[in-house]
Amino acid sequence: RNRGSSAMVSHQWLWEALRNGKDDVVISRLVPPDWDWNQVHPSLGTPLMAIVPDGLRLSSNTSRTAPIWKLIRFCMAQGADPRKVAHHLENSRSTWGSEGTAYPKLDAVDRSGHSALSLVFSFRRACCKFEKEYAAQIANADQMLSVFAEFVPEEDPVVLVPEGTVEMWEQLLADKKGCADVELEVSAACADSGSGSGTLRAHGAVLRSASPV
């Protein structure tokens, strides 16, 4: 059994808390600090995907102060990415309503192959076939998409170069003769390509660090 599936089994309570929008449980010290916020549950998908169905369905979530929005923002702050796609899910189809009631039966939505973002769009599309009856759910979808848009992806790490190092390189590049102790002959082939022929000067220390030749 791999580490990911073991984590999902041992923390099924956390998945249930996400699925049911229990923000007080998810935003607590019960959650392990190293929990993977982008792992994939075999039927619920990613943590954010687990929140989506009931987050959209409940009319009480139309309030901008509803706990569901705090929950989603917390998950994203932990690194949960609404763009993460979950493939090959099992028993992952959802539908709402039933024939002959105030809420007509919607087309089933399968979580498999979706991200949290695309899942919201799929539910919204299903609801739009009955705009009047599912007006609250459509409003919830629009609000959820707005909250997901607040996600800030992690950027590639930036390596800070000390100012003194930059100045040293600038001096080396500006030095045409003094420390440029290696003379390179430009071949005729380079001349034909427009680079010009003749000689160029370079710094031996720089060349040695760039190539063993």
Side-chain angles (χ1 to χ4, degrees):
R1 181 182 295 175
N2 62 40
R3 184 175 180 271
S5 63
S6 176
M8 286 186 286
V9 171
S10 62
H11 297 105
Q12 184 63 29
W13 58 269
L14 180 49
W15 287 102
E16 291 298 324
L18 289 163
R19 186 172 70 87
N20 290 283
K22 298 297 183 182
D23 62 302
D24 55 337
V25 175
V26 178
I27 306 175
S28 73
R29 294 186 179 181
L30 293 171
V31 181
D34 61 346
W35 202 68
D36 182 1
W37 289 91
N38 287 302
Q39 63 184 283
V40 176
H41 187 279
S43 61
L44 298 178
T46 66
L48 287 178
M49 289 174 64
I51 297 172
V52 168
D54 272 12
L56 297 179
R57 184 178 61 84
L58 298 178
S59 299
S60 58
N61 290 335
T62 53
S63 170
R64 291 182 178 273
T65 59
I68 191 71
W69 312 121
K70 178 183 178 181
L71 174 59
I72 291 175
R73 289 186 172 100
F74 171 82
C75 292
M76 292 195 300
Q78 309 312 304
D81 191 336
R83 304 167 301 175
K84 169 74 175 180
V85 177
H87 296 287
H88 311 300
L89 303 183
E90 301 174 356
N91 303 317
S92 59
R93 294 172 67 84
S94 299
T95 187
W96 304 331
S98 58
E99 300 297 340
T101 68
Y103 293 95
K105 187 172 183 178
L106 299 180
D107 295 337
V109 174
D110 192 342
R111 293 184 183 89
S112 190
H114 276 294
S115 65
L117 275 168
S118 63
L119 186 60
V120 174
F121 279 113
S122 288
F123 275 112
R124 190 186 190 284
R125 189 179 309 115
C127 290
C128 281
K129 292 183 178 181
F130 304 96
E131 290 188 20
K132 181 180 178 181
E133 293 85 349
Y134 288 99
Q137 288 68 36
I138 294 172
N140 284 344
D142 291 339
Q143 172 67 3
M144 191 172 290
L145 291 172
S146 294
V147 173
F148 283 158
E150 298 173 10
F151 177 71
V152 179
E154 289 187 3
E155 298 181 355
D156 292 333
V158 176
V159 178
L160 299 179
V161 179
E163 185 175 350
T165 302
V166 175
E167 292 177 351
M168 179 188 70
W169 276 101
E170 288 178 344
Q171 293 171 5
L172 285 172
L173 292 173
D175 181 15
K176 301 298 184 181
K177 295 182 178 180
C179 295
D181 54 347
V182 177
E183 191 173 275
L184 303 174
E185 292 187 4
V186 180
S187 68
C190 292
D192 292 339
S193 67
S195 300
S197 59
T199 60
L200 295 174
R201 302 189 69 83
H203 298 82
V206 175
L207 294 177
R208 283 193 296 272
S209 64
S211 172
V213 179

